[in-house]
Amino acid sequence: ASLRQRWLDVDYNLACAEAGIAAGEFVAETFPRYMPNLGPEVCATAYGAELNFTQSSSWSVPCVASIRDVLRMRPDLDTYYWKVLRRMTEESVRRGRGKWITAITDLHTNGDLLASLLDPQRLALECADDLEGVAAACRHVTPAFKTFFDDLYARTAPAGGPCCTWGAALSQEPMYYVSCDFMCMISPAMFARTILPAIRWEVGQLGHSIFHLDGPGAIKHLDALLAIDRLDAIQWVYGAGATSARDWLELYRRIQSAGKAIEVITKDAAEARIIMENIRPEGIWLCVGGTYSREEAESFLREVERWAAGGK
């Protein structure tokens, strides 16, 4: 009867996932999977926020007036939304055994968690007016990443499958796409003072990690991220309207020269070929968009194999 009911209906969402997986084709390192999902700001609900649902996502209703109010808050996982997420995860593991991999949901923590509690504009103003308060709040919520991750990982790991989330990567160890979309709103000095320590800590809790670098506004923080020893890779997402992968060859080389792997997202195979013509294959993982027949996909995979082997 409503978008909200559709998002929160566990059986409906599992039935949709099962139908989509049954109709799917999986080649190369792609596998059937389902990620239980209530939207990117679900972590804020553990601090008392409500969610507003749209057709394709959800957004938290800010519930904090001042950044220093966060210092008095603790996450509570026995709340309605998190209980629904737990049921989705557990039911996916049960129904998907032998059919698909159950992923850990999209967790926006560190600075993004603060932004979802206050509102991004309000958090940006707090960075200008009370940077020490923002730093203290970020330190305060940093451990919540492990609280959220471990709660869901404990439900997926017993199934014996690899660890995964909203990205395409799979790992036999705890793995996550660490991120902070809010960081494009602040300077490198502010980032170093507030959010970077939390990101470094999150990476340290994982067996493997990929940083989701989202949009041109985030590039100013790239050097700080590349300096994190335990970070394995960068996923560069150039953003809507921000040209295409072919326009970021120097950025790929910069990441590659720092010794990090790169998840290269291209809109189609033609764009991926431009990457292959201009970038060394070491550490490059191509995630290719578009629609193809199985024959076209397998033909392209043979091209990638020749490139990876040093041929053309």
Side-chain angles (χ1 to χ4, degrees):
S2 69
L3 280 174
R4 178 182 175 85
Q5 288 177 325
R6 190 172 76 188
W7 274 87
L8 298 173
D9 188 323
V10 174
D11 289 336
Y12 170 82
N13 281 282
L14 264 294
C16 288
E18 191 165 15
I21 288 166
E25 291 281 345
F26 302 95
V27 298
E29 67 276 7
T30 63
F31 294 90
R33 68 175 73 196
Y34 167 63
M35 185 189 81
N37 180 35
L38 294 180
E41 298 185 345
V42 68
C43 292
T45 67
Y47 293 84
E50 279 292 327
L51 295 178
N52 282 334
F53 293 95
T54 68
Q55 287 282 350
S56 59
S57 190
S58 72
W59 309 100
S60 66
V61 179
C63 60
V64 175
S66 167
I67 190 65
R68 291 187 181 262
D69 292 340
V70 176
L71 301 176
R72 298 190 294 271
M73 305 173 77
R74 294 287 188 277
D76 178 8
L77 301 191
D78 289 322
T79 55
Y80 175 72
Y81 293 108
W82 199 264
K83 287 179 179 178
V84 171
L85 196 57
R86 283 171 170 169
R87 291 201 305 272
M88 284 183 175
T89 302
E90 292 166 354
E91 186 67 5
S92 174
V93 169
R94 187 186 70 80
R95 290 173 57 169
R97 194 174 300 276
K99 299 178 182 178
W100 66 77
I101 301 164
T102 298
I104 294 173
T105 199
D106 190 7
L107 301 172
H108 281 234
T109 51
N110 57 71
D112 282 349
L113 175 56
L114 298 181
S116 63
L117 292 173
L118 277 87
D119 176 82
Q121 179 172 280
R122 181 67 219 169
L123 181 57
L125 291 171
E126 293 278 13
C127 286
D129 295 338
D130 186 8
L131 190 63
E132 179 53 42
V134 175
C138 206
R139 288 193 299 270
H140 181 70
V141 302
T142 291
F145 168 77
K146 186 168 174 58
T147 301
F148 295 130
F149 180 89
D150 286 355
D151 186 73
L152 298 177
Y153 184 65
R155 289 165 165 74
T156 61
C163 180
C164 64
T165 180
W166 55 267
L170 300 170
S171 172
Q172 290 297 339
E173 298 181 70
M175 180 276 303
Y176 207 76
Y177 283 71
V178 180
S179 66
C180 182
D181 293 345
F182 174 79
M183 70 185 192
C184 68
M185 306 290 289
I186 58 177
S187 71
M190 286 182 171
F191 176 66
R193 180 74 185 86
T194 57
I195 298 169
L196 180 60
I199 291 172
R200 190 181 294 114
W201 186 88
E202 290 182 11
V203 168
Q205 307 308 302
L206 300 164
H208 292 292
S209 57
I210 301 172
F211 192 85
H212 167 69
L213 191 68
D214 195 340
I219 294 175
K220 57 181 173 283
H221 305 303
L222 178 58
D223 285 342
L225 296 167
L226 294 176
I228 301 175
D229 288 340
R230 290 192 59 181
L231 181 66
D232 294 307
I234 300 289
Q235 180 203 57
W236 166 236
V237 180
Y238 40 81
T243 64
S244 66
R246 73 183 68 194
D247 298 296
W248 302 100
L249 297 177
E250 287 305 315
L251 183 71
Y252 297 133
R253 295 187 184 110
R254 180 176 161 192
I255 298 169
Q256 196 174 48
S257 66
K260 303 298 185 185
I262 314 169
E263 183 176 332
V264 178
I265 298 174
T266 70
K267 65 181 180 182
D268 54 31
E271 191 172 276
R273 291 185 181 100
I274 294 173
I275 300 299
M276 291 190 287
E277 290 166 3
N278 291 277
I279 302 294
R280 302 191 327 271
E282 291 83 5
I284 301 297
W285 181 25
L286 297 173
C287 291
V288 184
T291 302
Y292 311 91
S293 67
R294 176 171 282 275
E295 291 74 19
E296 290 170 330
E298 291 175 347
S299 175
F300 176 73
L301 287 173
R302 289 192 290 273
E303 293 180 48
V304 175
E305 288 172 357
R306 289 193 294 271
W307 171 60
K312 294 185 178 180

